[in-house]
Amino acid sequence: MKRLFILIVSLLLGSAAFAQKTKADLMITGGSIIDVKTGRLSSNKVIIIRNDSIITVIDQDKSSHWQVKQNYNAAGKFIIPGLWDMHMHFGGGDSLIQENKNLLPLFLAHGITTVRDASADLSKSVLQWRDEIAKGQLQGPTIFTSGPKIEGYKSIWLGDIEVGTTQEVKLALDSLKQLKVDFVKITDNTLKPALFLEAIKMARQRGFKVSAHIPAALTMNQVADAGLSAVEHIGYALKAGTKDEQAISDEIASGALKGKAVNGRIIADFDEVSALKAYKNMAKHGMSLTPTLLISRTVAYLDQDDHKNDPYLKYIGKGLRKTYNWRVERAAKDDPEAIAFRHQVFEKSAAVLPLLQKAGVKILAGTDAGYLNSFDYPGIGLHQELELFVQYGLTPLQALQASIINSPEFLNQKQYGSINSGKKADILVLDQNPLLNIKATQMINAVVVKGQLLDRKYLDQLLESIKTKN
């Protein structure tokens, strides 16, 4: 009888202890957590996740206090926040909506848990996907989008909001606010320089971050003074690094300097002292820059690799692949002298990356992947961009920061950027340490997106399903 009493008491005590445990959805144990801000590693930690957020990160010996639905052993692995691609495009017309939608799982399969859509001609669909993903109704990376970008009359780009007056800029910004876009993008194909500067100021007054292509007739200092938040593509930084950018801009505006001669003059007049001065002014104004090295290098070196046999093409729909032809056909017209020149322009442009970093300009990691940009692939492209960052002068830690820390900071998304309590549960589990070899970002063991674990088996199945859709 005494033994029975002791057994009952023990069971009751055990039940009480179990009932007192805090419930959660997912526990990740055993991995080394990388602090991407400092480069420090923490081991013997446990990540506790509930819904789409990290509840806490605790010592391993305290994990028994938690009751979780799923346990993931990451022993021997390395853990970082999910990657961001800060410049990509969904586009190509209504007939390619489904092919664009098929890119969503492709990003996740490569650990890209957030993307910034830098506008094209499918804004209605992109905004719908953004909201469905946020509500958990569609699987994909978190989307931030500019919606349609602001341009001048008769732009070559489809889906723009074309403006030619201050009133039309106002109406354009009204419509973008109504669409609840995440930032504003302005480009330079036909938009007049004076109205370009005015549009930046008006957008900033409304609280928008603004990214842009810069009209050749304007200087980096002018757009910085106007309040531009981010420059898209590194070529504009090469021009800003010349001894007298104002003189070059004036000659372009007057028509005295045009065509190939523009880049020739920029390369001849580039000066590191002048460049650092211009870049420090950018940093002073809080400007960021998305280099998009991958697309520039891919097109510059099509003579050495035509990419026709890329294994990754099996993940890209036939319609999207056709949009690649535009750049390929243009490059094919170049003679040996022109090919050598485009190599030179790319190499000179990429070489300013460490100068921008040194000056304090926040580098954002973006690919320009999506439609139109030949062999610049959604998903794997971000990893290749990070490789190029390191190849051209950044450390692996700085490359990771460009994607994981600088990107959410640009969009004022404070709930991202580290593996800490209160942060979003977008996590990458890697087989090797990316601080030692940036290619390790491609060695993905598992992805956690919005708190949902996608293990290697699931990721492989995801990739297989994308192939069958194309």
Side-chain angles (χ1 to χ4, degrees):
M1 189 71 177
K2 184 177 180 180
R3 287 180 179 176
L4 180 61
F5 175 76
I6 292 171
L7 178 61
I8 292 171
V9 170
S10 298
L11 288 171
L12 288 172
L13 289 173
S15 298
F18 186 76
Q20 290 171 2
K21 289 187 175 183
T22 306
K23 294 182 179 180
D25 296 318
L26 174 64
M27 178 187 293
I28 302 176
T29 62
S32 296
I33 300 172
I34 298 176
D35 183 335
V36 180
K37 188 172 184 178
T38 64
R40 286 195 282 268
L41 274 66
S42 299
S43 55
N44 299 316
K45 297 290 183 181
V46 174
I47 304 168
I48 307 291
I49 294 166
R50 185 188 299 131
N51 297 325
D52 66 348
S53 299
I54 298 171
I55 301 303
T56 189
V57 179
I58 57 175
D59 292 334
Q60 183 90 38
D61 56 11
K62 296 179 181 178
S63 61
S64 59
H65 301 304
W66 290 83
Q67 177 190 349
V68 296
K69 297 176 184 176
Q70 190 175 13
N71 223 313
Y72 193 77
N73 184 358
K77 311 300 181 185
F78 297 85
I79 301 171
I80 61 174
L83 296 168
W84 288 49
D85 186 335
M86 280 294 280
H87 188 126
M88 55 75 55
H89 298 278
F90 295 106
D94 289 349
S95 64
L96 298 185
I97 288 175
Q98 188 57 51
E99 287 190 20
N100 278 270
K101 193 174 184 180
N102 292 344
L103 301 178
L104 297 174
L106 191 58
F107 281 108
L108 293 185
H110 290 86
I112 317 300
T113 54
T114 306
V115 299
R116 182 176 67 128
D117 169 56
S119 98
D121 57 347
L122 293 180
S123 294
K124 183 178 178 181
S125 294
V126 174
L127 287 161
Q128 180 182 335
W129 299 337
R130 178 193 69 176
D131 296 343
E132 288 176 351
I133 290 168
K135 294 174 183 176
Q137 298 168 350
L138 177 65
Q139 187 181 52
T142 296
I143 296 174
F144 294 96
T145 180
S146 66
K149 63 180 178 287
I150 294 176
E151 250 293 0
Y153 298 149
K154 297 181 180 179
S155 162
I156 63 169
W157 308 115
L158 299 176
D160 297 340
I161 303 177
E162 296 186 356
V163 299
T165 67
T166 300
Q167 178 61 19
E168 287 175 343
V169 173
K170 178 184 179 298
L171 293 174
L173 293 171
D174 287 344
S175 68
L176 292 174
K177 185 175 182 180
Q178 195 168 20
L179 289 173
K180 298 180 180 179
V181 300
D182 302 296
F183 67 103
V184 168
K185 185 177 180 185
I186 308 173
T187 53
D188 63 334
N189 180 232
T190 59
L191 188 60
K192 301 299 182 185
L195 193 59
F196 178 93
L197 295 174
E198 192 172 1
I200 293 173
K201 293 173 184 177
M202 291 172 68
R204 292 308 305 271
Q205 287 168 0
R206 291 171 179 243
F208 285 115
K209 287 290 185 80
V210 182
S211 77
H213 297 182
I214 303 171
L218 296 175
T219 67
M220 189 69 77
N221 288 343
Q222 286 175 299
V223 297
D225 289 342
L228 184 64
S229 311
V231 179
E232 304 300 327
H233 315 301
I234 203 165
Y236 299 108
L238 182 67
K239 175 175 175 282
T242 52
K243 294 175 184 177
D244 191 347
E245 189 191 8
Q246 185 66 64
I248 292 174
S249 296
D250 290 345
E251 288 184 42
I252 293 171
S254 69
L257 187 64
K258 54 189 174 182
K260 180 183 173 181
V262 172
N263 279 330
R265 172 74 173 277
I266 288 170
I267 290 172
D269 285 10
F270 183 83
D271 172 68
E272 188 169 319
V273 173
S274 301
L276 280 171
K277 182 179 179 181
Y279 302 160
K280 286 178 181 178
N281 187 57
M282 291 172 66
K284 177 184 173 183
H285 283 80
M287 291 175 67
S288 302
L289 185 140
T290 316
T292 63
L293 297 184
L294 179 60
I295 182 58
S296 298
R297 192 188 189 287
T298 299
V299 174
Y301 286 93
L302 279 172
D303 57 301
Q304 296 182 9
D305 185 354
D306 63 13
H307 297 274
K308 290 180 180 177
N309 297 314
D310 283 359
Y312 205 89
L313 284 168
K314 63 193 171 196
Y315 300 122
I316 308 300
K318 293 179 181 177
L320 286 173
R321 273 183 264 163
K322 284 183 180 178
T323 70
Y324 291 175
N325 293 341
W326 177 59
R327 291 189 186 278
V328 172
E329 290 168 0
R330 285 173 61 192
K333 296 175 183 177
D334 286 345
D335 59 22
E337 182 182 353
I339 291 171
F341 185 64
R342 74 188 191 213
H343 291 180
Q344 183 186 21
V345 171
F346 170 75
E347 296 298 337
K348 290 288 187 180
S349 299
V352 309
L353 183 64
L355 296 179
L356 289 160
Q357 180 78 27
K358 181 179 179 180
V361 176
K362 290 292 179 70
I363 306 300
L364 307 178
T367 59
D368 218 4
Y371 93 112
L372 201 61
N373 292 327
S374 313
F375 315 112
D376 185 354
Y377 301 120
I380 193 65
L382 194 279
H383 300 277
Q384 294 169 335
E385 184 77 13
L386 297 182
E387 282 187 65
L388 289 172
F389 280 6
V390 174
Q391 180 180 335
Y392 286 95
L394 299 192
T395 66
L397 181 60
Q398 289 168 341
L400 290 174
Q401 289 169 344
S403 178
I404 293 169
I405 294 180
N406 298 349
S407 298
E409 281 185 358
F410 174 77
L411 291 168
N412 298 321
Q413 298 297 314
K414 297 179 181 179
Q415 66 272 45
Y416 297 91
S418 65
I419 307 292
N420 285 311
S421 60
K423 300 291 186 178
K424 290 294 185 182
D426 287 352
I427 297 170
L428 209 49
V429 182
L430 305 173
D431 289 332
Q432 294 184 22
N433 185 350
L435 299 179
L436 302 179
N437 179 6
I438 195 63
K439 289 185 178 181
T441 60
Q442 301 176 45
M443 302 171 190
I444 299 172
N445 182 265
V447 176
V448 179
V449 57
K450 297 175 180 60
Q452 180 185 4
L453 176 70
L454 313 180
D455 62 15
R456 187 65 257 171
K457 181 179 178 182
Y458 184 94
L459 296 175
D460 289 339
Q461 291 172 345
L462 203 59
L463 288 170
E464 194 61 33
S465 71
I466 298 164
K467 275 198 298 184
T468 61
K469 292 176 182 177
N470 293 321

